[in-house]
Amino acid sequence: MLTDHRPWSETPLDLPAAPGAWYQLAAAGGWQIVVGDTAHPIAHDIVTSRVQGRAGLTSGWCALPFAVPVLCAPATGPGVNALQTAVKALTAEGLPLQRTVVALTSMGAGRLPPPVRAAATMLQSQVFAVVNLPFDPHIRSHGLTDAARLSRRTSEATATLVADIVRAAQHTWGEPLPPAPVPAGLQAPGPPVSTRPVEGVLR
């Protein structure tokens, strides 16, 4: 995951919006996994891009090789209402809900509210997986600066989220995943050079 390690209170960096630029960067660096943390309003982006007759950011991210969309929402009534609106927009646009994972983040301790539990149950049949991330006061106050202090429930839920993302990719493209295509402008690396002695030549 590429990160600038700056405090959350800092203003966002001025970074390219085009998803393809991030794929180029990932390919150039030889990363095996890249997490793109975006904050654009999905439903608004889909509707606006359709009205303007252009490709939107959401479709651009979904079109990247081996991309697994992860929709994040607070586990509240308004949060799941916004999430359901986004899911309807994705469905109307024909974007890949079948490999999409939903992460619902609890905003406080205790059980999820009934509307959230009902929405999660309904979403199970529309997306690849729905994961509930428990409330963790350490993240709320310190972020991820000290991962060793995360609660056991948070660690288990995070492991489930990562496993579901990998399973969604494997379900779509096969296991093991085939090599990712090299973007235009980047040359594929040559075959590895062996350092082992060749029989009859070096001993």
Side-chain angles (χ1 to χ4, degrees), residues 70-76 101-110 112 116 130-136 139-140 151-162 164-165:
V70 180
L71 303 181
C72 304
T76 62
V101 176
V102 169
L104 293 173
T105 304
S106 296
M107 306 307 291
L112 294 176
V116 175
V130 178
V131 180
N132 295 318
L133 298 175
F135 176 74
D136 193 323
I139 295 179
R140 179 68 58 187
S151 71
R152 177 183 56 81
R153 293 178 63 230
T154 299
S155 299
E156 291 175 350
T158 303
T160 299
L161 177 62
V162 173
D164 284 338
I165 293 170

Side-chain angles (χ1 to χ4, degrees), residues 63-197:
L64 292 180
F66 308 141
V68 176
V70 180
L71 303 181
C72 304
T76 62
V80 294
N81 284 340
L83 175 64
Q84 290 171 322
T85 299
V87 168
K88 290 178 182 178
L90 288 163
T91 302
E93 196 66 12
L95 295 177
L97 275 179
Q98 72 279 2
R99 68 171 190 265
T100 296
V101 176
V102 169
L104 293 173
T105 304
S106 296
M107 306 307 291
R111 290 170 54 87
L112 294 176
V116 175
R117 295 200 302 271
T121 300
M122 293 175 60
L123 286 169
Q124 289 282 3
S125 62
Q126 298 176 274
V127 299
F128 185 84
V130 178
V131 180
N132 295 318
L133 298 175
F135 176 74
D136 193 323
H138 179 72
I139 295 179
R140 179 68 58 187
S141 55
H142 301 288
L144 295 176
T145 55
D146 186 3
R149 295 182 59 185
L150 297 178
S151 71
R152 177 183 56 81
R153 293 178 63 230
T154 299
S155 299
E156 291 175 350
T158 303
T160 299
L161 177 62
V162 173
D164 284 338
I165 293 170
V166 173
R167 287 194 307 111
Q170 293 172 337
H171 180 78
T172 304
W173 293 287
E175 181 184 358
L177 292 173
V182 178
L186 296 175
Q187 294 190 4
V193 178
S194 175
T195 57
R196 298 179 56 190

